[in-house]
Amino acid sequence: MPRNRRPQDREEKREEILAAAQRLFIDDGYESASMGQIAKHAGVTVNTIYWYFRDKDDLLIAVLDRLLAEALTQYATIADRPLGDRLLWAVDQLERLHGLVNTVHTRAPASPAVHAWHTGFHELADALVADDLRNAGAADADLPAMTAIGTFVIEGLLTHRRDDADKRAVIDLLVHQLTTVPTRT
Amino acid sequence: MPRNRRPQDREEKREEILAAAQRLFIDDGYESASMGQIAKHAGVTVNTIYWYFRDKDDLLIAVLDRLLAEALTQYATIADRPLGDRLLWAVDQLERLHGLVNTVHTRAPASPAVHAWHTGFHELADALVADDLRNAGAADADLPAMTAIGTFVIEGLLTHRRDDADKRAVIDLLVHQLTTVPTRT
DNA sequence: ACCTGAACACCGTTCAAGT
DNA sequence: ACCTGAACACCGTTCAAGT
């Protein structure tokens, strides 16, 4: 059976590989999802993946970019809700991706490309969080430290699953603390 | 050359394997430190490791227990210093182990043994942090959420390296926030 | 340009065999 | 009880060869 009947398949096949990789990375984890499995699910041979992507880390980055873009457009949807609701929504949405958070941290030291992606991601996330905190009335002097705390707590909630009540309590306390305390001396 | 001249070598050889594994896990990372490398550094054959340890995850857990015991005895040394100093000290001490933090998170889903260790560790850490917060005058009602925030921030500081000034600022703000805010309604 | 079959060097783990 | 040499099934990656 001929595999590429039309020349336009070019971008299509890349998408098929990407979709297969995304599903397996999320469901089975980056380690367990072998290149062989990904190839099989995409209907190609292993080596074909290497025609479209430099290596497995490059494939990971492409998946991450895909997921990030999707998350950002969805985040814009609820830009008008209060800070606490927005944070809880973000945690709920990203929770299924918690494995990828660890994967990025694990691969970053070994792969310069993943390291660069991780740095860029945190610059973006920090900017978003800082903006939110400023709008919520946080003291300017403490903003960098506050942003770090906010980011760390969100990441903690992603990687250490808690039930809904616990998540709500942690986020409520966080928002309350970060926005109502008077500036320190 | 005869390798085990004395029968007392039993526990000694186990320690040699453990020491080699600890060094390589910390310096090269869990993934990069192959069983072959560990065996070579311990002066044994690969299969010998499997006589003393069930598998690589079991070896990891033995290393973690070793490091945890060491950290706890050292932590007791500075039990009288103020909370902020103690937290900063903990972050500085554990910073070189940040790779293992990710490793535990990565292996936990696949290995029930690592998962159990991770759960036990957080119970212990949460108890320590909760105790500290209570002594520092934290409101009782918010204690679980406060403890979670404290743990998440410490873990965040471990896995996302910051310079000394940033670390100090984050911890100072955290301690200030968690101990001086009046109870919420 | 695109895709493959076959190989490469490596991995964690196991097994039959030795003392 | 303790340790080994040799094998097993797998991994990510590469290469020469095809269209």
Side-chain angles (χ1 to χ4, degrees):
Chain A
M1 41 183 139
R3 190 132 276 158
N4 41 351
R5 304 170 297 187
R6 305 179 297 167
Q8 309 97 299
D9 275 7
R10 227 190 45 167
E11 195 62 22
E12 268 181 43
K13 184 156 288 182
R14 211 190 107 102
E15 283 303 318
E16 273 175 45
I17 296 172
L18 224 41
Q22 174 169 323
R23 204 180 78 74
L24 290 170
F25 284 168
I26 292 174
D27 291 351
D28 299 354
Y30 182 74
E31 281 190 62
S32 304
S34 72
M35 296 296 271
Q37 285 287 324
I38 296 168
K40 185 185 291 181
H41 278 256
V44 297
T45 313
V46 224
N47 336 355
T48 303
I49 299 182
Y50 287 90
W51 179 259
Y52 292 94
F53 301 94
R54 166 182 290 275
D55 52 24
K56 200 182 178 186
D57 286 318
D58 192 39
L59 190 51
L60 171 65
I61 289 170
V63 167
L64 292 172
D65 279 335
R66 234 178 170 233
L67 291 167
L68 179 59
E70 186 191 348
L72 284 178
T73 59
Q74 287 201 298
Y75 187 74
T77 308
I78 53 155
D80 52 334
R81 312 224 7 220
L83 179 57
D85 288 4
R86 228 154 52 240
L87 292 181
L88 189 62
W89 178 91
V91 170
D92 282 337
Q93 292 295 311
L94 299 177
E95 210 161 35
R96 71 193 177 102
L97 306 180
H98 82 277
L100 287 182
V101 177
N102 289 326
T103 299
V104 169
H105 290 158
T106 303
R107 293 303 308 155
S111 160
V114 175
H115 178 82
W117 190 92
H118 184 232
T119 302
F121 171 78
H122 272 290
E123 279 167 6
L124 195 153
D126 276 359
L128 281 180
V129 173
D131 212 50
D132 268 344
L133 290 176
R134 211 180 346 248
N135 289 342
D140 252 39
D142 294 329
L143 217 117
M146 281 183 172
T147 304
I149 290 178
T151 306
F152 292 160
V153 169
I154 292 178
E155 230 179 62
L157 282 175
L158 285 183
T159 48
H160 301 78
R161 194 154 298 171
R162 311 258 160 170
D163 62 38
D164 284 351
D166 282 356
K167 283 191 288 192
R168 186 85 241 181
V170 167
I171 288 180
D172 279 350
L173 181 60
L174 176 72
V175 171
H176 182 258
Q177 302 278 36
L178 291 183
T179 55
T180 64
V181 171
T183 318
R184 296 173 300 147
T185 50
Chain B
M1 40 183 137
R3 188 131 277 158
N4 42 350
R5 305 170 298 187
R6 306 178 296 167
Q8 308 98 299
D9 275 8
R10 226 190 43 168
E11 195 62 24
E12 266 180 44
K13 183 156 289 182
R14 211 190 108 101
E15 283 303 317
E16 273 174 46
I17 295 172
L18 224 40
Q22 174 169 323
R23 204 180 79 72
L24 290 170
F25 284 168
I26 292 175
D27 292 351
D28 300 353
Y30 181 76
E31 280 190 62
S32 305
S34 74
M35 297 295 272
Q37 285 287 323
I38 296 168
K40 185 185 291 182
H41 278 256
V44 297
T45 312
V46 224
N47 336 355
T48 303
I49 299 181
Y50 287 90
W51 178 259
Y52 292 93
F53 302 93
R54 167 181 290 275
D55 53 23
K56 201 183 178 185
D57 286 319
D58 192 38
L59 190 50
L60 171 66
I61 289 170
V63 167
L64 292 172
D65 279 335
R66 231 177 173 235
L67 291 167
L68 179 59
E70 187 190 348
L72 284 178
T73 59
Q74 287 199 300
Y75 188 73
T77 308
I78 54 155
D80 52 335
R81 313 227 4 223
L83 179 57
D85 289 5
R86 228 155 50 241
L87 292 182
L88 189 61
W89 178 91
V91 170
D92 282 337
Q93 292 296 310
L94 300 178
E95 211 160 35
R96 70 191 178 101
L97 306 180
H98 82 277
L100 288 182
V101 177
N102 288 328
T103 299
V104 169
H105 290 159
T106 303
R107 293 302 307 156
S111 158
V114 175
H115 179 81
W117 190 92
H118 184 233
T119 302
F121 171 78
H122 272 291
E123 280 168 4
L124 197 153
D126 276 358
L128 281 180
V129 173
D131 212 51
D132 268 344
L133 289 176
R134 214 182 340 250
N135 289 341
D140 252 38
D142 294 329
L143 217 116
M146 281 184 173
T147 303
I149 290 178
T151 306
F152 292 160
V153 169
I154 292 179
E155 231 179 59
L157 282 175
L158 285 183
T159 47
H160 302 78
R161 194 153 297 170
R162 310 260 160 169
D163 63 37
D164 284 350
D166 282 356
K167 283 191 289 192
R168 185 85 240 180
V170 168
I171 287 180
D172 279 350
L173 181 60
L174 176 73
V175 170
H176 181 258
Q177 301 279 36
L178 292 183
T179 56
T180 64
V181 171
T183 318
R184 297 172 302 148
T185 50

